[in-house]
Amino acid sequence: MTIMIKKLIAFSALALVSNFLSAQVAEPLYYYYPHGYEPYKGGDKEFYKDFHQILLDKNMEPCENKNELYLMKVIVTEEGSVKYLKDEMNSGMAENNKCAYNLGLQVVKYMNKWKPLEVDSAKKQGVASYHIFPDALFENYKEGYTVESEPALLEGLPDGINKFRSEVVKKIHLDGFQWKQSFKLVALFTVNTEGVIEDITLENSSGVPEFDKRIISGIKNVKKKWSPAKIHGVPVRYRFRLPMSFGNPS
């Protein structure tokens, strides 16, 4: 059986809260800001500095729960304005951190240093995200503040993700499959706040559903313990991208 590699590109529409009101519209196409491209002039430090100042200027109240944390996502338009992005996958975090969620919603509409994303010299709508940890943005704010984060780690394994990749390879059963040349696949998965792997998908399909299924099963069958990622000591979901290479069969 020969595997034909086909790239499948999926576009999904998310609901936007336009102009920070209750009305929602669908955004059919958007881009994520690439690594190193700053959605806000001055970068993260300037974003959080302005966020802090707006909290003070508008006499907003800090959260009673000092561990509240919310991942706020916004869309920066081609004109440089901003719209809050309602992310259904993040709804549980919003529900459990209502104060941080509401502060983000109130403050971001006053921020005015957004930089539109440019793709092939054309301005496009871009998705930007920021963790809002209110306890560090009121009286505890320090000049130059950025988010304190720790990635998800495999417990007791210093070579974490590479060791995990090796364990995955051992669990993938490829009997009955043949291919003519080497190729690569990229698996995506999340380590949740309990240190458990979930939401396993493939970035590109192999073109053979059964082969894809075995790759995903291989990841599921690695029973290594993960320590969850943390933001300011608060466990958060962490998304991994795991490239895998398949050489020529012997």
Side-chain angles (χ1 to χ4, degrees), residues 19 28 40 43 63 78 91 97 139 145 153 208 212:
N19 298 322
Y40 198 79
C63 301
E78 298 91 331
S91 59
N97 299 272
E139 67 273 10
Y145 165 82
L153 298 172
V208 180
D212 291 354

Side-chain angles (χ1 to χ4, degrees), residues 8 10 13 28 41 44 94-95 105 128 134 142 163 200 210 215 238 249:
L8 303 179
K41 294 177 183 177
D44 288 0
E95 181 65 25
L105 207 63
K142 296 180 181 179
K163 178 63 176 178
I200 306 170
E210 179 59 29
I215 301 301
Y238 192 89

Side-chain angles (χ1 to χ4, degrees), residues 17-250:
V17 182
S18 183
N19 298 322
F20 300 93
L21 300 177
S22 58
Q24 295 182 351
V25 296
E27 180 60 39
L29 180 63
Y30 54 85
Y31 298 83
Y32 284 88
Y33 282 83
H35 180 71
Y37 196 114
E38 297 176 344
Y40 198 79
K41 294 177 183 177
D44 288 0
K45 291 181 181 180
E46 188 71 11
F47 173 87
Y48 288 113
K49 179 180 179 180
D50 287 355
F51 197 103
H52 163 71
Q53 192 59 50
I54 292 168
L55 289 173
L56 300 183
D57 292 345
K58 301 299 180 181
N59 295 314
M60 297 183 186
E61 295 293 327
C63 301
E64 291 186 13
N65 180 0
K66 302 306 179 183
N67 287 325
E68 283 211 17
L69 173 71
Y70 180 64
L71 177 59
M72 181 183 68
K73 297 183 180 181
V74 297
I75 284 192
V76 181
T77 69
E78 298 91 331
E79 296 78 24
S81 61
V82 68
K83 297 183 284 188
Y84 173 73
L85 177 63
K86 184 177 181 181
D87 183 2
E88 296 297 341
M89 294 184 65
N90 206 26
S91 59
M93 195 176 193
E95 181 65 25
N96 296 327
N97 299 272
K98 288 183 178 180
C99 178
Y101 166 81
N102 287 327
L103 285 173
L105 207 63
Q106 294 174 55
V107 170
V108 75
K109 62 185 178 183
Y110 295 109
M111 305 182 83
N112 57 7
K113 298 178 183 176
W114 300 102
K115 294 168 56 179
L117 178 63
E118 290 192 14
V119 179
D120 297 328
S121 300
K123 292 182 178 180
K124 301 290 185 179
Q125 292 192 119
V127 177
S129 59
Y130 296 90
H131 278 97
I132 306 302
F133 187 70
D135 190 49
L137 295 170
F138 281 90
E139 67 273 10
N140 291 328
Y141 173 80
K142 296 180 181 179
E143 188 70 26
Y145 165 82
T146 56
V147 168
E148 299 174 6
S149 62
E150 302 173 35
L153 298 172
L154 273 169
E155 293 184 355
L157 294 176
D159 193 23
I161 194 64
N162 289 326
K163 178 63 176 178
F164 180 75
R165 192 194 332 267
S166 298
E167 294 295 321
V168 169
V169 170
K170 295 176 185 177
K171 297 292 184 179
I172 299 175
H173 301 291
L174 299 180
D175 296 344
F177 290 99
Q178 295 181 355
W179 51 92
K180 295 180 179 180
Q181 60 185 15
S182 61
F183 63 95
K184 295 181 180 180
L185 287 177
V186 177
L188 304 172
F189 63 91
T190 297
V191 175
N192 68 20
T193 57
E194 304 298 323
V196 177
I197 289 179
E198 58 186 24
D199 300 332
I200 306 170
T201 61
L202 294 183
E203 188 173 80
N204 301 314
S205 172
S206 68
V208 180
E210 179 59 29
F211 188 91
D212 291 354
K213 182 178 178 180
R214 292 195 189 184
I215 301 301
I216 293 173
S217 294
I219 296 173
K220 288 181 178 178
N221 289 332
V222 177
K223 306 301 182 182
K224 299 294 183 182
K225 177 65 177 176
W226 289 81
S227 296
K230 295 180 180 178
I231 300 291
H232 286 288
V234 180
V236 295
R237 292 165 57 84
Y238 192 89
R239 192 71 167 160
F240 271 101
R241 188 174 184 272
L242 182 70
M244 291 181 290
S245 298
F246 298 85
N248 294 323
S250 56

